[in-house]
Amino acid sequence: MSPLAIIFLLLLLTISAMAKTRQFEWRVEYMHWSPDGVEGVVMAINGKFPGPTIRARTGDTISVELTNNLLTEGLVIHWHGISQRGTPWADGTASISQCPINPGETFVYRFIVDKSLLMNGRGQFNCSLAAQFSKSPIPQCKLRGDEQYAPHIFHVHPNKTYRLRVASSTALSSLHLAVGGHKMVVVEADGNYIQPFSVENMDIYSGESYSILFTTDQDPSNNYWISISVRGREPKTPQGLTILNYIPNFASKIPNFPPPLPPLWNDYNYSKSFSKKIFGLMGSPKPPTRHDRRLFLLNTQNRIEGYTRWAINNISLVFPTTPYLGSIKYGINNAFDTKSPPNTFSKDYDIMKPPPNPNSTYGNGVYMLKFNTTIDIILQNANILAENVSEIHPWHLHGHSFWVLGYGDGNFTTEDAETTLNLNNPPLRNTVVVFPYGWTALRFSADNPGVWAFHCHIEPHLHMGMGVVFAEGVHLVKNIPNEALTCGLTGKMFAENKHK
């Protein structure tokens, strides 16, 4: 699939004077569709792909009655970036906050909005809008404009400033965005305003979102390219392209110059330079000056029973059949391993080499965090099973934003803890990257009652074990709907209570 088949998120942060309840009925079903020019089966909502738009204001209540018509698959919907304060069962994480919604079942997601979401996504896999500028044999796209995979054209007027809100929902690769001939000013990251800075292009990792400003100050007789390229992995697809259409030019007018060239896919110094420019806006909340608990999480690639897995501190995460939220809230025994996962890893571990013992173990333990305490996370990256290879991992925390205190190369050290961490103006994020052979330091307040996932946002990495689970203040969670917990031991408990 073309790298342009991504999700754009519009974060509407307007405070509503009169909060409303906005109700929706969604049916999830299979549908044949061609989002990138190759027909396949997609999951559609109410016959639409991408799904329908939700428009709301901060403070509104969203109620989505979701029916699963997929026939063979359970599903949940995670509302990425919504903190779910007071409604942790609506986070949409199977085996953590709720049971999967089985085929034929209906579940109601109900929560208060602190961001709103708009979605779209199209791309071209087997042709290019800019084939005449390419050295590869890919053909020129010949489009009428009404195809399912026709590009989403951005129509603009000359000498105006526009705000583009963009996020990546890729399952594997990082992306690189450029608006040909135009400078971009980055002003917001993951729903939090940052100190504005100017770039010609930018990297976006899976799960991240940004707002950028650009001014249409170029030659108004031309249209311009908006390009998306693969980063962090060797590209196997052409650039994703669409057109910035200067009105009154025809939208079909192809720019008369080639699309912007991205940096090399493995130029990690380029990636680091962008991430290190992001600071919190003056007046933004500052982190607590001290932490109550610090966890060191080592990312490694391992093997279990001959299968390649990912592990954190040598434990590869698997999920229990009973959602953690229910088993912890109701004190159900034997639902998961009550032994805490390791807080750190061996000081002798050499992150520059493959693991000396590649074998790992499965686990489903939980980090129990004392409510209203300050938690530091040190994400430590390392070499994978193959020699001289370390990968980028974007990490996403549910239920919270965190302060990004810093990045570094090699092992995190005591000196880094004392001199490198930024406590003055770190940005608030909910997704952050850890670079190859490096570390990333985070701080957050464990102040949102519930059970929350913290995981690599590369989808196969999560399914292969790269994640952990945090629980905090679960005793304070109230009014969990029984429908969220009808599987596993909580389902059995409800059935037994019903017959008493």
Side-chain angles (χ1 to χ4, degrees), residues 89-386:
W89 57 86
D91 189 48
T93 46
S95 298
I96 296 180
S97 63
Q98 71 171 106
C99 301
I101 305 165
N102 292 320
E105 292 182 345
T106 296
F107 181 79
V108 178
Y109 286 102
R110 189 177 178 89
F111 56 89
I112 295 175
V113 172
D114 49 23
K115 299 179 178 68
S116 297
L117 308 180
L118 299 184
M119 302 185 182
N120 70 335
R122 299 181 182 184
Q124 300 80 43
F125 175 75
N126 53 4
C127 66
S128 172
L129 299 177
Q132 69 267 39
F133 302 111
S134 175
K135 295 180 181 178
S136 68
I138 191 167
Q140 178 76 27
C141 291
K142 297 179 180 179
L143 303 173
R144 301 182 306 274
D146 58 353
E147 294 87 351
Q148 294 170 353
Y149 58 96
H152 180 96
I153 304 295
F154 290 80
H155 305 282
V156 295
H157 292 274
N159 300 312
K160 301 286 185 181
T161 298
Y162 290 85
R163 182 175 187 172
L164 177 63
R165 296 161 167 105
V166 58
S168 171
S169 65
T170 56
L172 189 62
S173 297
S174 309
L175 299 179
H176 185 79
L177 171 69
V179 181
H182 296 73
K183 293 243 182 222
M184 301 184 292
V185 179
V186 187
V187 296
E188 173 265 320
D190 293 349
N192 300 289
Y193 286 109
I194 59 174
Q195 294 183 23
F197 64 96
S198 179
V199 294
E200 293 184 354
N201 44 56
M202 59 186 289
D203 285 347
I204 310 168
Y205 302 100
S206 179
E208 288 188 327
S209 63
Y210 292 96
S211 286
I212 62 172
L213 304 180
F214 67 92
T215 300
T216 50
D217 55 3
Q218 300 301 299
D219 182 349
S221 66
N222 291 327
N223 288 338
Y224 297 85
W225 296 112
I226 298 178
S227 67
I228 293 286
S229 306
V230 170
R231 293 272 283 137
R233 292 180 180 275
E234 188 172 2
K236 303 296 183 183
T237 59
Q239 279 183 307
L241 296 172
T242 190
I243 290 175
L244 185 70
N245 169 222
Y246 269 57
I247 295 173
N249 298 329
F250 289 111
S252 58
K253 181 180 180 180
I254 297 295
N256 56 10
F257 41 82
L261 284 176
L264 292 175
W265 66 270
N266 57 354
D267 184 350
Y268 297 120
N269 287 329
Y270 195 98
S271 307
K272 294 174 186 178
S273 68
F274 175 79
S275 294
K276 292 179 179 179
K277 292 177 181 177
I278 302 174
F279 297 98
L281 188 67
M282 183 179 296
S284 298
K286 291 189 176 182
T289 56
R290 297 182 181 275
H291 64 275
D292 297 302
R293 184 178 180 185
R294 177 171 282 167
L295 301 175
F296 296 83
L297 303 182
L298 174 67
N299 302 336
T300 56
Q301 191 182 53
N302 301 79
R303 291 193 182 96
I304 301 179
E305 299 172 352
Y307 294 97
T308 300
R309 301 284 298 183
W310 291 95
I312 302 301
N313 294 350
N314 209 42
I315 294 179
S316 185
L317 181 65
V318 291
F319 294 110
T321 56
T322 303
Y324 291 108
L325 182 63
S327 57
I328 297 174
K329 174 66 176 178
Y330 297 114
I332 297 175
N333 296 322
N334 303 318
F336 62 92
D337 185 358
T338 56
K339 181 182 178 182
S340 177
N343 288 338
T344 188
F345 57 94
S346 171
K347 302 295 184 185
D348 298 326
Y349 191 93
D350 188 346
I351 67 165
M352 305 303 294
K353 296 179 180 179
N357 178 6
N359 296 317
S360 181
T361 58
Y362 293 119
N364 59 17
V366 176
Y367 289 100
M368 298 291 185
L369 308 180
K370 186 177 180 181
F371 189 59
N372 271 337
T373 59
T374 300
I375 309 299
D376 276 9
I377 305 292
I378 309 299
L379 289 169
Q380 180 67 64
N381 213 343
N383 203 101
I384 66 172
L385 289 171

